[in-house]
Amino acid sequence: MRFRGKYQFASAVGLVLGLLCAVEAAKVNKHKPWIETTYHGIVTENDDKVLLDPPLIALDKDAPLRYAESFEVTLTEEGEICGFRIHGQNVPFEAVVLDKSTGEGVIRAKDKLDCELQKEHTFTIQAYDCGEGPDGVNMKKSHKATVHIQVNDINEYSPVFKEKSYKATVIEGKKYDSILKVEAVDADCSFQFSQICNYEIVTPDVPFTVDKDGFIKNTEKLSYGKERMYKLTVTAYDCGKNRASEDVLVKISVKPTCKPSWQGFNKRIEYEPGTGSLALFPSMHLETCDEPITSIRASIELETNHIGKGCDRDTYSEKSLHKLCGASSGTVELLPAPSSSANWTVGLPTDNGHDSDQVFEFNGTQAIKVPDGMVSTSLKDPFTISVWMRHGPGVHEKETILCNSDKTEMNRHHYSLYIHNCRLIFLLRQDPSEAENYKPAEFHWKLDQVCDKEWHHYVLNVEFPTVSLFVDGTTFEPFLVTEDYPLHASKIETQLTIGACWQENSGHDNDTETVSETTSGANARMAQFFRGNLAGLIIRSGKLENKKVIDCLYTCKEGLDVQLPEEVASAVKVEFNPNQSSLTVEGDDIDAFDKVMQHISYLNSRQFPTPGIRHLRISTTVKCFNEEACVTVPDAEGYVMVLQPEEPKISLSGIDHFARSAAEFESQEGVTLFPELRIVSTITREVEPDTESDAGEKADDDPTVQETVVSEEIMHNLDTCEVTVVGDELDGEHESLEVDMSQLQQRALEMSSSNLGLVITGVNTMANYEQVLHLIRYKNWHTETLFDRKFKLVCSELNGRYISNDFKVEVNVIHTANPVEHANNAMLQPNFINPVHHASVDLSGHNLVNAHQASVVPSAATIVIVVCVSFLVFMIILGVFRIRAAHQRTMRDQESGKENEMDWDDSALTITVNPMETYEDQHSSEEEEEEEEESEDGEEEDDITSAESESSEDEEGGEPEDQQGASRQQQLEWDDSTLTY
């Protein structure tokens, strides 16, 4: 037993010694730590903990083994894991040892991770032990393991649309599979949260839908008339159910069904007079709906048929227009505007709208006779008939425009122009000749213009046996010429009529009508009445109208114009009609075609155009590759509104009352009626107030202040000035109105006179008319019973469209008596009367002139004046005494003691009377000041006052010229040197 116990003790001691040896041996660091070769980890953004697979554990064989629990072993540092080291650049992770003894560790993020910046991270990691001893000598490192870490996304971003708004255009009546696509994006990095899973239209009750891919389509056919634009609000959702941060606006425009048409022009185009050319279609283009176009042809028409005689033309008299166009001689106007010298058209109805031409209407019951001697046309000489006519489908009877027929006995028509069954016929019967052979007598033209109810200009050039017809400047040959014998010789006078034919009663009452005028025979009647409108009927004897004059008469003052751009001039063809009321454009390049259309303009060259509407119409034909009209373009219509021009106010001014001696009226020169006449034309304009001035500032502050109206002087022509006598008509036996004809001819003016006055006609400047009117003289050979004569002057422009004021002039006749010697001493000149020269006095426009400076000699009239002045002085003195007596009575009746007021003390009053002074006491102080100014200037005129002219009627004569310088008149003055106040 004792042996056994010793044995057990020895064994325990050996074991302890063995362990101690083993521990001592374990202090040597022989092995490297060991880790896995690859790790995969997951980390959620905005978190730092990484879940690794497999877990991060480092093993080291140097670590002691643990046997039984009954043994207490102290581990050394050689078996412990001291840490992990991460290799890589900018690795946002770190590895931390949780338990050195077990080698367990973790990887965690240094900062918050952002999946959107980097979704995956890869780096290497290495474990190292604690080495030997407390100083960690002989530290061992493991191999490098690769670590892959994925950053898991969180749904932190909302969808955002790529565009701020979306637009699309659809055509009405069509259902689309897709109109447009909206697209949103999500900034999240994961597939789940970055994908857009749904789109939604927020706007309610709209005929549209959107699918999950963002395609929008209409759910029903759209109507342009119902809605022209839809506005939708669309939102988006990502797969994490996040809604878009901002919804997007979608605009869908509905276009009408594409129809080829002209687009982009205003239907109303305003034209300001005097502004020149105005572009009609500056932004217009042709919509062809993408059809393959090969050629385009467009016709642009400016409708002016309702303006004047088919368009805007100068409305001067036809005779003046002929002169302006170069036909300066031989023209006789048969339908002139009614005036004192041309009164045979007074009874005819006219348009009375002086904005346009004066037109005469013939309704089938009216006709006029042209006065004898107006036309002296020899049928052997060439002559021209020119007329404007508007005629519609008429009756089957003849309708006469112009007729020259026998006055009495027979109904022979020498020449006439008439219409029969819409044919224009000119009859010309030759006078008797030696050879009684058939000769051309009737010339027939079958023309559509005769009965189309439109204005046309007809010119007949007659040079027997040839007759040429021009209609609107175009020549037409007669389709039929019939012959007849010349007329038999006769001494019967002829009658020229317009609107019917003068003839004996033929018994056909249904196509004749008695004329309202007094006729020479009981059976004389008008027949073959015209129904329509006539204007500008002219006969020009001895000459034919040339083509240049005809074109000038027909040419309009308004029309279309185009300035072709250089780059398209060769690609497009443009043609005009003669009066430029229409043009045609042809081309095959639609862009060049549009440019030409954009350069088409309207032009009115008149200074005062006729206001109103001018309709526009564009007719278009489009052809495709098969040379057929594949596209139908409807007509485009609009109108040009010509605004009312500023109307001129023609003002006549000058001396309107003066007197002349009878000798001047009887002299060879006569008396000038308008010596200082001035013609001025003004227009009024509205001008906005000047905001920079004080007045303008007040106008801005005061809303009631309106625009300022200013008057502006302008220059234009005149075509008529008429001088008429007021009162009794002129007596040709002893009075007349005259003007220098050479001066008229130099200015291409004409003058006609009658017992009512004279008329000057012709288109010329106001200055030339002013100069000619200065030359008009009035002469009277028997002035014994004439005391005054009154005249009226009126000027006008554009055939009476603008008329001046009535400028009236009154001329007084100064009668002087012959001197007679008297034996009676009472009739001799008193000693206190001195003759004096009188300067001419201008009294408010009454210019009284004494051309011979006749001296005043006291006579019977002087005695009468002395008596009248003495009586006047007596009455003044009597009145003064009466006033003084009444004043004294009033002073005595006053109860209160007041100071005596100033009384007249006329005890020393001295009155000196000039019996020759009559004029100064009868006129105002203002006129006396004018006299003083004239005397200071030293101006001496030949005028005498009307009062002097009346007083001189009873005088018998005057002193010789050598005694005039010594004659003086004393003035009436108060001698108040002794007057007390």
Side-chain angles (χ1 to χ4, degrees), residues 886-897:
H887 177 68
Q888 291 176 352
R889 287 195 299 270
T890 303
M891 294 297 294
R892 287 194 298 267
D893 295 338
Q894 294 179 350
E895 296 178 358
S896 60

Side-chain angles (χ1 to χ4, degrees), residues 262 265 281 284 286 296-303 582-586 593 597 616-622 631-638:
W262 288 104
F265 76 99
F281 322 111
M284 189 171 68
L286 179 62
I296 310 170
R297 185 178 188 274
S299 296
I300 300 90
E301 297 181 5
L302 180 70
E303 296 182 2
S582 68
L583 62 86
T584 302
V585 183
E586 294 186 27
F593 200 91
M597 295 294 291
L616 281 170
R617 178 178 290 105
I618 304 175
S619 303
T620 311
T621 303
V622 178
V631 175
T632 301
V633 180
D635 291 350
E637 296 184 354

Side-chain angles (χ1 to χ4, degrees), residues 218-399:
N218 55 323
T219 58
E220 63 183 40
K221 293 181 179 181
L222 305 178
S223 173
Y224 177 79
K226 182 179 179 181
E227 190 71 38
R228 298 187 178 185
M229 176 180 287
Y230 290 90
K231 296 182 180 180
L232 316 176
T233 302
V234 180
T235 191
Y237 295 90
D238 61 19
C239 294
K241 300 301 182 182
N242 266 8
R243 181 173 173 171
S245 58
E246 291 185 6
D247 299 337
V248 72
L249 177 64
V250 179
K251 296 180 180 180
I252 300 178
S253 301
V254 181
K255 288 180 62 177
T257 303
C258 184
K259 298 178 180 178
S261 61
W262 288 104
Q263 298 180 359
F265 76 99
N266 296 325
K267 292 188 176 181
R268 175 187 171 95
I269 306 160
E270 292 188 353
Y271 181 79
E272 183 74 24
T275 56
S277 182
L278 174 66
L280 297 176
F281 322 111
S283 303
M284 189 171 68
H285 67 278
L286 179 62
E287 175 62 57
T288 59
C289 298
D290 299 328
E291 291 287 343
I293 303 300
T294 58
S295 65
I296 310 170
R297 185 178 188 274
S299 296
I300 300 90
E301 297 181 5
L302 180 70
E303 296 182 2
T304 59
N305 295 336
H306 60 291
I307 303 296
K309 299 191 294 288
C311 67
D312 214 0
R313 296 181 175 90
D314 284 332
T315 55
Y316 297 117
S317 67
E318 198 67 22
K319 190 172 184 178
S320 296
L321 290 175
H322 273 69
K323 282 191 174 182
L324 291 175
C325 289
S328 58
S329 62
T331 56
V332 178
E333 191 170 4
L334 301 183
L335 285 176
S339 65
S340 59
S341 59
N343 57 3
W344 63 88
T345 58
V346 172
L348 285 178
T350 63
D351 64 348
N352 291 324
H354 293 298
D355 288 344
S356 58
D357 301 299
Q358 191 168 33
V359 174
F360 295 93
E361 180 182 356
F362 295 83
N363 59 11
T365 62
Q366 298 160 322
I368 59 172
K369 295 191 297 182
V370 178
D372 295 340
M374 287 295 300
V375 179
S376 57
T377 301
S378 173
L379 300 183
K380 295 181 180 179
D381 298 329
F383 65 96
T384 298
I385 299 176
S386 174
V387 66
W388 285 92
M389 181 178 69
R390 179 170 60 187
H391 179 262
V395 296
H396 295 292
E397 290 80 12
K398 294 181 180 179
E399 297 179 66

Side-chain angles (χ1 to χ4, degrees), residues 64-106:
L65 297 176
R66 295 181 181 181
Y67 293 100
E69 294 180 358
S70 58
F71 297 97
E72 295 181 3
V73 180
T74 301
L75 296 177
T76 62
E77 293 180 357
E78 287 78 1
E80 293 181 349
I81 302 299
C82 277
F84 297 92
R85 182 171 297 169
I86 293 176
H87 299 277
Q89 292 182 354
N90 300 325
V91 178
F93 296 94
E94 62 182 0
V96 180
V97 178
L98 297 179
D99 190 345
K100 292 183 177 182
S101 61
T102 60
E104 182 181 358
V106 294

Side-chain angles (χ1 to χ4, degrees), residues 34-39 56 85-87 107 122-127 142-148:
W34 179 88
I35 57 177
E36 298 287 344
T37 58
T38 303
Y39 292 92
L56 181 61
R85 182 171 297 169
I86 293 176
H87 299 277
I107 297 176
T122 300
F123 54 88
T124 58
I125 190 172
Q126 193 175 29
S142 69
H143 63 275
K144 293 180 180 180
T146 302
V147 180
H148 300 282

